[in-house]
Amino acid sequence: MASTRPASASTRPPVSPLPRQVNTQTTVLDTTHGRILCIADIRGRLSALNDLAREANAKAIIHTGDFGFFEASSLEGTIINDRTLRHLTMYSPLIPSAQRTHLLSPENPPSLIRSTLSISLLSEFPLLLSGQLKLSVPVYTVWGACEDVRVLEKFRLGTYNVDNLHVIDEATTRLLDVGGVKLRLLGLGGAVVGHKMFDCGDGRATIAGGQGTMWTTALQIGELVDTAQRVFDPSETRVLLSHASPGREGLIAQLALAVKADLTVSAGLHFRYATSYNEFSVQGDYEGFRQKLVAGKAAFDRVWEGVRPQVEAVMDEGQKVLMDKALSVVERVPPELQQGGQGEEPAWKNCWNWNLCDAAYGTLVLDVREGRVSAELKSQGFNYAYRRTPTTQGPPQSAHQQQGTPHAAANASLPPPTSKAPTPAPPSVPATNGSPAPIATPEKAEKAEREKAKKKEKRERKEREKAEKTEKDKTTQEGTPRSTATPTLPESTSAASTSTPAPDSTTPADTENANPKSPTTAKGPKQRNPWTIFMRIPSSAAAGVSEKDIRGLFPAEVEKDIVKVHMPVLYPGRARVVYVEFGDEEAMKRGLGACANKLNDTPIETKQATDRESRAPPSGSGSGQSPNPGGHGTIRGRGRGGGGYAARGFAAAGLTRGGGHGFKGGHHGSGGGSGGGSAGGNGGEGAAATGES
């Protein structure tokens, strides 16, 4: 039903007649400078939110759908249907790969998936709800296409409330004051499905969903427009958050025009690259932009005309007002350009859009400073290394066909995603001579290359060890007089025997880089900042410690010299380890002198960070290390206890000082080892095995 009211000449939208209060709050993040992390499809792995925020140094997070709004009762009965449950199993980052493969096997019935899955494999939302998991920064999210509508209803009714979690929907909006900009967040959750536009499913009021899925309705769009009109302020910058992309859905693009959005952030396409664009950059001309909106209007009208009599018969007065507002969005098509370019829609060039890839593959950071909103896009992208592997040639594939399963690497730790993305599968070839041709996949090729490299490395290592042992034996025989008694090793030979054989010229890291995982050249090891303070915080005070808390241990004049604060992942029951890096030695010394040695009344260990080699224990400590003949630290022996490969060889041959029953007066370490155990009475270090006093 098209509105007969003429378009208002005022730039301020009219006030809604609905008697309701808009759920809005203003949050001041930072008036000078702030970073906002934008991600999508976290899919229940909510513990990664804090890690991602810390990595990006973000003061807030914007999330655009598939958050993981599920609880234990969501798995009861048929609240989630079999098809949706299989979809969730396929993409959940909380399910180990081996278990996922087993559950999704074609021979396994849906009942097996339903009986095996627990809420811990589907979402960490119950941990967030119970307080076991806390969000370190405010998170603003819309719901996605796969959520439990009953959980969202409980947020709408106020039954559920989580600190720092804000669900943005058609009735709820938030205002962020950051970096000199007031960002008005308007949100629309759910997928855009034309034939469900007038079906609320199991939802109440304007929210809609059922059987584990959620979608957008016409009343939802109407209420969002009403909310935008009520909070309209020309001084604000309006951001439309949606799960569906305005680049694909003309109706969402029309909604962006209706709410006067300056920026849009969306998801739902699951690409490996995030996209940044405005309509002027992707449309051939202004008419192309108009035609996308016309197509969205036509798709809506086809459904509306079919159900209009039934819908109008059951709507109350409030719903009729919302429906009129939804229809005004559908009618929001810019007029054709007049001669001279008159009447051009400003959003054609001024509204900017971002469509995000899944959180496992990339992020967007909005850096707001002095009124300017800068953008930093980070995407994992496609892996084209398979093209360097000799495979059977076939017809080329498009990049979109290489997309494959978008969450095959979702079990990798976050943040940032460090695991290799699933390699796009190369094309198959038709059968020849009546038999199918073998299909060479990049995964198999990479595995074969790794196995080949490992075998080669092992073979070369054995050859080197054999040659070294032969050389040492020859040297020992030439320098030791023959005697009927047990021969005694000279001191120089004894010391040399404790050293580790020459390292392999091809290290495991080099071997890994040699595999065809990336066409880029292998890089050397990352240099450590020598001016670093090491902190160890006891487990009793480790929980909840943030970078701000660490910086607060230093006075202001020292804190400004801190270059970086690195906080590795905290494991339950373990002490928190922190590395505080400075720009120079003087700044680090000042930091050591001025740092508070207590955090929340709990003493903490503070000292200068050192390399592992300089922390090696002295000889005789039972650590399986031997003294370096050159006087520089220690030399690590092979095996579990020490002594080295050569030392074990001499011990096995009976070439030890003091007879063939082991050295009884030497050092006895506290730890046992395979090198010292054969000669030392108490299984001491390699020094005992070689007869070193």
Side-chain angles (χ1 to χ4, degrees), residues 412-652:
S413 60
L414 289 172
T418 57
S419 68
K420 179 178 67 64
T423 309
S428 60
V429 295
T432 57
N433 298 329
S435 61
I439 301 176
T441 63
E443 288 83 358
K444 292 183 179 179
E446 290 178 4
K447 184 176 180 181
E449 288 293 334
R450 287 195 297 269
E451 294 296 331
K452 183 178 180 181
K454 288 180 180 178
K455 291 180 179 179
K456 181 180 179 181
E457 179 188 1
K458 185 176 180 181
R459 183 170 62 253
E460 292 176 351
R461 184 172 64 248
K462 287 184 176 180
E463 291 175 355
R464 281 194 300 272
E465 291 175 352
K466 183 177 180 180
E468 182 177 327
K469 182 176 183 300
T470 302
E471 183 66 26
K472 287 181 183 286
D473 290 344
K474 181 179 179 181
T475 304
T476 303
Q477 292 173 2
E478 291 176 353
T480 304
R482 294 181 177 272
S483 173
T484 57
T486 304
T488 303
L489 295 179
E491 293 295 328
S492 59
T493 308
S494 174
S497 66
T498 63
S499 62
T500 306
D504 192 349
S505 61
T506 305
T507 64
D510 294 334
T511 303
E512 182 178 0
N513 288 332
N515 293 332
K517 292 184 178 180
S518 173
T520 58
T521 305
K523 299 180 180 179
K526 184 178 180 181
Q527 297 297 323
R528 183 184 68 80
N529 184 350
W531 318 124
T532 302
I533 292 179
F534 168 82
M535 292 183 177
R536 180 182 284 111
I537 304 171
S539 58
S540 58
V545 175
S546 64
E547 180 178 339
K548 184 177 179 181
D549 297 329
I550 299 300
R551 289 178 175 270
L553 297 173
F554 299 90
E557 61 272 12
V558 176
E559 191 270 340
K560 64 182 178 62
D561 295 329
I562 296 177
V563 175
K564 180 182 179 182
V565 177
H566 178 56
M567 302 174 68
V569 175
L570 175 63
Y571 295 95
R574 301 287 293 276
R576 161 68 80 181
V577 174
V578 181
Y579 298 93
V580 184
E581 299 183 12
F582 290 82
D584 53 56
E585 184 177 9
E586 292 300 323
M588 183 201 65
K589 290 181 177 179
R590 289 196 301 271
L592 277 173
C595 177
N597 292 325
K598 286 188 176 182
L599 177 64
N600 299 331
D601 297 329
T602 302
I604 62 176
E605 179 185 353
T606 305
K607 61 184 179 181
Q608 182 179 358
T610 57
D611 289 324
R612 179 177 298 178
E613 289 76 7
S614 63
R615 298 197 297 270
S619 175
S621 63
S623 62
Q625 296 177 347
S626 303
N628 189 339
H632 302 288
T634 61
I635 298 179
R636 295 177 178 269
R638 297 179 62 85
R640 293 172 293 173
Y645 177 85
R648 294 199 304 275
F650 286 126

Side-chain angles (χ1 to χ4, degrees), residues 332-391:
R332 186 69 167 83
V333 177
E336 296 182 1
L337 281 181
Q338 302 175 4
Q339 292 184 353
Q342 297 297 322
E344 182 179 88
E345 172 62 50
W348 156 244
K349 295 180 179 178
N350 297 333
C351 180
W352 205 265
N353 311 279
W354 285 284
N355 185 266
L356 307 180
C357 52
D358 294 356
Y361 301 132
T363 60
L364 162 69
V365 175
L366 299 180
D367 190 286
V368 189
R369 186 195 300 266
E370 298 178 353
R372 183 179 297 278
V373 181
S374 304
E376 302 172 9
L377 277 177
K378 177 183 176 183
S379 304
Q380 189 183 84
F382 291 119
N383 187 341
Y384 293 101
Y386 74 91
R387 294 185 176 179
R388 299 177 58 142
T389 304
T391 58

